[in-house]
């Protein structure tokens, strides 16, 4: 399966510093299959016109593609209606939209938002900005030494002031998969809302918003084989209806006068300005690519790779893996005694191996584990065992230098 799949990703066949590229930074962004790159080129060659505005042929074609992409996303995450799919620039903008607009609609001074110690900064800072504006209270839920959400501590954090819980589905560092369905029941029993950051789950496993029972969900196209600059905020219709617009401008209005402006219906109320209609179409092509391979097939392959990498890395003396829960996604964060992760990343790079090092936009998590940074190898549907062997061999070479 791998050779034909790898042929779909021309970037993977290049050499870096005279070594075959081993790309293990997929949690930061995935590479794009030919079909996605070609869809972008084709649209600019044949179907480029601004959407929703023109009566002319090209504009209608572009609009049809854009709206078909919305429907494609709806099906992919099993939302009820296409109008519940708001296109954004990515997860970060989706959470900022929610914190700004949802913050306006649902949160007042003294109301509480629960996040967790394993959140990406994009699920922390927007809530801090809201705290500055409205005086909300942010309560971080602790995690265990294995990197699991501490469910008992979570249960204790709820008070009558809890309005929203905003958690990642999968941690971008630990790979931990949070039990969203169970959390949704807990959240709703307290009359609060649940927002899920699915940036690291959508690329790897089936995400079904109805089955999960979440109220909001966000993800980024570029982490799921799609282009940069496009992402999604899903929200339940009844909630999106209550939220004021996020930005003002074209597309999001019904009528404008100097005295009074009325807003467009969902989802356009949240999509001011020309949307990334080329990106939305390319995202739909990326989702097609994943479904054509089969989400279960992708998940099974990544499971094998992650287990293999965990086993091989564990044999390296002094190597500590962070995040050791049973249900874990295709990412391994680690440190090696006596080697700074930045040195490790830099030296591996010279051997053609791309990993990520640093705080991974999760400084509170680094603090939780008492470290400034970690090295992180993250996998995708095209990662091979041979690449894991190259990683392990290269780490062994680096270790000998210290
Ligand atoms: N949330 C998680 C869990 C992530 O891993 C990332 C990116 O690494 C983000 C949010 C932010 O995604 P983006 O930069 O695409 O907006």
């Amino acid at each position: 399966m791998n050779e034909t799949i790898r042929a779909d990703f021309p970037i993977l066949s290049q050499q870096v510093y005279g070594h075959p590229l081993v790309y293990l930074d997929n949690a930061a962004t995935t590479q794009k299959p030919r079909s996605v790159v070609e869809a972008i080129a084709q649209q600019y060659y044949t179907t480029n016109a601004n959407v929703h505005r023109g009566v002319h042929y090209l504009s209608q074609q572009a609009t049809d593609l854009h709206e078909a992409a919305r429907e494609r996303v709806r099906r992919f995450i099993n939302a009820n209606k296409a109008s519940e799919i708001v296109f954004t620039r990515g997860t970060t903008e989706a959470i900022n939209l929610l914190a700004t607009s949802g913050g306006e609609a649902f949160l007042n001074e003294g109301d509480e938002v629960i996040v967790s110690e394993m959140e990406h900064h994009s699920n922390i800072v927007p809530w801090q900005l809201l705290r500055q504006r409205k005086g909300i209270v942010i309560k971080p839920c602790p995690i265990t030494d294995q990197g699991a959400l501490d469910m008992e501590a979570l249960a204790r954090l709820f008070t009558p002031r809890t309005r929203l819980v905003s958690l990642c589905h999968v941690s971008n560092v630990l790979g931990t998969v949070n039990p969203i369905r169970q959390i949704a029941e807990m959240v709703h029993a307290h009359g609060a809302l649940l927002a899920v950051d699915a940036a690291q789950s959508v690329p790897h496993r089936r995400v079904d918003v109805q089955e999960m029972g979440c109220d909001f969900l966000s993800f980024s196209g570029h982490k799921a084989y799609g282009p940069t600059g496009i992402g999604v905020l899903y929200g339940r219709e009844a909630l999106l209806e209550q939220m004021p617009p996020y930005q003002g401008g074209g597309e999001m209005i019904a009528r404008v006068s100097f005295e009074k402006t009325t807003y467009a219906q969902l989802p356009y109320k949240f999509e001011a300005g020309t949307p990334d209609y080329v990106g939305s179409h390319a995202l739909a092509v990326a989702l097609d690519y994943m479904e054509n391979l089969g989400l279960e097939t992708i998940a099974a392959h990544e499971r094998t790779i992650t287990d293999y990498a965990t086993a091989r890395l564990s044999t390296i003396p002094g190597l500590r893996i962070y995040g050791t829960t049973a249900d874990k996604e295709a990412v391994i964060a680690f440190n090696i005694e006596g080697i700074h992760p930045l040195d490790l990343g830099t030296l591996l790079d010279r051997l053609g191996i791309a990993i990520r090092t640093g705080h991974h936009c999760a400084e509170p998590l680094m603090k939780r584990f008492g470290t400034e940074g970690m090295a992180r190898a993250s996998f995708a549907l095209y990662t091979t065992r041979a690449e894991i062997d190259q990683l392990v061999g290269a780490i062994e070479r680096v270790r000998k230098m210290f």
Side-chain angles (χ1 to χ4, degrees), residues 92 267 392:
T92 303
V392 173

Side-chain angles (χ1 to χ4, degrees), residues 178-211:
N178 287 320
I180 295 299
R181 164 106 227 140
Q182 190 189 341
I183 294 169
E185 280 165 21
M186 190 190 282
V187 170
H188 293 147
H190 287 89
L193 298 171
L194 176 63
V196 175
D197 167 356
Q200 297 293 347
S201 55
V202 162
H204 302 293
R205 53 175 59 206
R206 192 168 289 287
V207 166
D208 180 326
V209 290
Q210 297 191 61
E211 196 180 296

Side-chain angles (χ1 to χ4, degrees), residues 327-348:
D327 190 9
K328 180 175 163 156
E329 264 311 342
V331 46
I332 301 180
F334 60 95
N335 267 327
I336 303 172
E337 217 177 307
I339 310 178
H340 193 282
L342 189 62
D343 293 335
L344 178 67
T346 308
L347 292 165
L348 290 182

